[in-house]
């Protein structure tokens, strides 16, 4: 069976890479693109024009679904659009695979309820890199024994949200296995606001945004006389493609929504 995929955000850097990967997969086909503009035009690789033969572009998911009947919607848009896109997809019976960060836990709870009600599978993945998911899993294992943790995440300077979805997901996984406590000196003082980073259940998260970076994270776990560092680096967007293809395959077998690629990795 050929899986028909619509891509929201196909003109972006990650979206363009995903478009190429899906078109190269033997049992997948990109049938349409969802965008905020260019209604009625066509996407030819990275170029948009009026010449048929490319990927048709829609600004309405409802119209896209009626014309192309996709099995899966891959969302690689931005935090301002993702909730509506996923909500509409679930309502239309389209399985969402989401790589866009910015969904709150309340958003995810609402979408989980909608997926269960409609019996439509979905996957929300803060990071599609298999290596990054393993980094998160290893960090959660280590935090059972070294429970003083700081997370340092580093991304390119075009990333609009901070902290990253990967950092938040890492902190959530660690929170599930350790007792909440305030780290550092009890009388610690910040002489510059934000110097100690964001506080998540007592852990600190630090965000760096610089040109030259893509997606990198270190989890530092401190113990008496020792430090464990678990680090992952994505140097190219190709690192996300195996996870995207895995998620598209997996979501076809689901009737629920899962949050985190670690849930579909043995």
């Amino acid at each position: 069976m050929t899986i028909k995929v619509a891509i929201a955000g196909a003109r972006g850097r990650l979206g363009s890479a995903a478009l190429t990967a899906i078109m190269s997969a033997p049992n997948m086909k990109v049938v349409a693109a969802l965008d905020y503009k260019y209604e009625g035009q066509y996407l030819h690789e990275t170029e948009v024009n009026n010449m048929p033969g490319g990927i048709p572009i829609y600004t309405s998911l409802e119209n896209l679904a009626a014309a192309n009947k996709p099995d899966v919607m891959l969302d690689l848009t931005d935090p301002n659009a993702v909730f509506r896109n996923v909500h509409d997809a679930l309502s239309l019976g389209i399985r969402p695979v989401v790589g866009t960060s910015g969904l709150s836990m309340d958003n995810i709870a609402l979408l989980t309820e909608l997926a269960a009600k409609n019996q439509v599978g979905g996957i929300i993945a803060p990071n599609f890199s298999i290596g990054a998911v393993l980094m998160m899993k290893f960090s959660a294992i280590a935090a059972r024994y070294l429970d003083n943790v700081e997370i340092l995440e580093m991304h390119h300077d075009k990333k609009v949200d901070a902290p990253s979805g990967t950092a938040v997901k890492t902190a959530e996984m660690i929170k599930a296995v350790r007792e909440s406590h305030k780290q550092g000196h009890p009388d610690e003082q910040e002489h510059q606001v934000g110097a100690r980073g964001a506080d998540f259940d007592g852990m600190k998260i630090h965000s760096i945004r610089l040109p030259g970076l893509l997606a990198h994270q270190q989890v530092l776990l401190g113990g008496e006389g020792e430090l464990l560092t678990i680090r992952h680096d994505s140097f190219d967007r190709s690192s996300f493609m195996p996870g995207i293809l895995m998620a598209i395959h997996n979501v076809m077998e689901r009737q629920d929504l899962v949050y985190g690629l670690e849930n579909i990795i043995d």
Side-chain angles (χ1 to χ4, degrees), residues 212-226:
L213 297 174
L214 180 58
H216 317 264
Q217 181 167 294
Q218 294 183 67
V219 182
L220 309 178
L221 302 104
E224 291 298 326
E226 63 180 337

Side-chain angles (χ1 to χ4, degrees), residues 161-180:
D161 58 316
S164 69
T166 300
V168 172
K169 180 63 173 174
T170 305
E172 290 169 349
M173 292 172 66
I174 291 172
K175 177 183 177 181
V177 301
R178 73 160 209 162
E179 290 188 14
S180 174

Side-chain angles (χ1 to χ4, degrees), residues 130-152:
I130 304 300
V133 174
L134 292 173
M135 174 265 297
M136 290 186 271
K137 291 171 74 75
F138 296 158
S139 298
I141 293 171
R144 297 174 185 171
Y145 308 98
L146 299 169
D147 62 357
N148 284 281
V149 183
E150 302 221 2
I151 299 170
L152 176 64

